[in-house]
Amino acid sequence: MATRRPIVAGNWKLHGSRQTSRALAVAVAEGLAGIDLGPARLRGENPPLEVLLCPPFVYLAELAELVAASHLRLGAQDVAVEEAGAFTGEVAAAMLRDVGCRYVITGHSERRALFGDTDERVAGKVLAALRAGLSPILCVGETRAERDAGDTLTVVRRQLQVVLEALDSGQVSAAERQMMSVAYEPVWAIGTGLTATPADAQAVHADIRATVGRRDATMASALRVLYGGSVKVSNAKDLFAMQDIDGGLIGGAALLAGEFVSICKAAAS
Ligand code: PEP
């Protein structure tokens, strides 16, 4: 693991109820107590790991209160491009901050494939998050067909480039300050049980860092690049051992407290 402080984020997607969400958050907080993150944070030290839960919007406010005394942080699964107005069904970045949310996933492949998020729209969401003081987690990744065609790096660079070009220098500084991160999530690995090999993932992560580095070298060296796509206890350690893999974005396994906590431990070790 590189010296950057790793992040593990649990993306709960469209799962759970108020009751199961509360129970899962409490179980994860208790499980992580063994990693001794809480006292370190209370002492004002940097804990060895950042752990985020990304529940459905409606549970954010309640979970923010529930986990306030723990080391857990909250992220949303999406955010509106717009700040306010006649945009039925949208949730603005400032509203997320208002309820205690500090991170937001942008450009998840399910939003891109099912809800029309183009590269440009994703860039708009990253900007909205930065304006509101949130930390965006920008998801990028290729489909199976793109991978088979040998286009992985072309696709990932394009997805990144559109966002990087949308940022002016002030926004690049905000992205650094607010610790924007990138999640490399090969679409063919999400929810399928298939995982990129650590070496394949590392090659893409290194390319992501190099692409960001062509825009801003300081931002690139501090940038956390997470891997996502069927991460489980059985593969987490090998993935997280790679030089440019700075943690994970976890879907299915994040719904199982024990599995998720073990993945966090693998990132912290
Ligand atoms: C995800 O949805 O971001 C994800 C990585 O899911 P899974 O871990 O289930 O593949």
Side-chain angles (χ1 to χ4, degrees):
M1 177 69 70
T3 52
R4 294 170 289 273
R5 184 149 54 106
I7 307 184
V8 177
N11 175 13
W12 292 1
K13 310 195 187 191
L14 185 59
H15 290 293
S17 64
R18 188 175 176 192
Q19 196 189 358
T20 62
S21 296
R22 287 181 67 95
L24 182 53
V26 168
V28 170
E30 285 175 0
L32 289 176
I35 310 183
D36 193 27
L37 302 184
R41 197 179 280 275
L42 289 176
R43 287 196 303 268
E45 296 165 11
N46 273 342
L49 177 71
E50 269 171 270
V51 181
L52 324 178
L53 305 179
C54 304
F57 285 128
V58 290
Y59 302 128
L60 278 168
E62 185 166 343
L63 293 191
E65 284 182 22
L66 191 67
V67 303
S70 81
H71 43 268
L72 286 175
R73 293 293 171 261
L74 289 179
Q77 298 176 18
D78 194 23
V79 65
V81 173
E82 299 81 10
E83 289 178 11
F87 302 104
T88 303
E90 291 290 83
V91 177
M95 296 172 182
L96 295 175
R97 259 201 80 108
D98 202 19
V99 296
C101 178
R102 290 290 172 269
Y103 298 77
V104 63
I105 298 169
T106 55
H108 191 282
S109 64
E110 287 152 15
R111 302 296 321 172
R112 291 178 189 262
L114 304 173
F115 301 100
D117 271 9
T118 59
D119 292 334
E120 289 70 23
R121 208 169 151 66
V122 173
K125 292 183 176 196
V126 169
L127 288 173
L130 291 174
R131 271 196 306 270
L134 294 171
S135 179
I137 301 171
L138 167 65
C139 298
V140 296
E142 81 288 2
T143 62
R144 164 59 71 191
E146 289 163 342
R147 184 176 192 85
D148 290 346
D151 289 337
T152 298
L153 295 184
T154 310
V155 169
V156 169
R157 283 176 193 163
R158 187 205 70 224
Q159 291 171 332
L160 259 179
Q161 207 57 49
V162 173
V163 173
L164 292 171
E165 281 168 13
L167 302 178
D168 63 26
S169 55
Q171 287 154 340
V172 167
S173 303
E176 280 174 45
R177 249 190 342 269
Q178 291 163 224
M179 295 188 300
M180 171 172 158
S181 52
V182 172
Y184 168 55
E185 298 208 300
V187 180
W188 51 269
I190 296 181
T192 59
L194 303 171
T195 314
T197 64
D200 282 354
Q202 162 61 27
V204 181
H205 281 230
D207 196 74
I208 288 170
R209 198 176 305 287
T211 303
V212 173
R214 284 192 282 281
R215 176 66 208 267
D216 187 281
T218 319
M219 180 178 176
S221 62
L223 183 76
R224 269 91 58 90
V225 186
L226 318 184
Y227 171 79
S230 298
V231 175
K232 315 182 245 318
V233 181
S234 55
N235 56 28
K237 214 170 175 52
D238 289 344
L239 286 161
F240 298 158
M242 304 309 289
Q243 193 185 349
D244 288 289
I245 300 185
D246 306 309
L249 180 52
I250 319 296
L255 298 172
L256 305 167
E259 179 92 3
F260 185 67
V261 166
S262 297
I263 292 170
C264 292
K265 288 180 177 165
S269 61

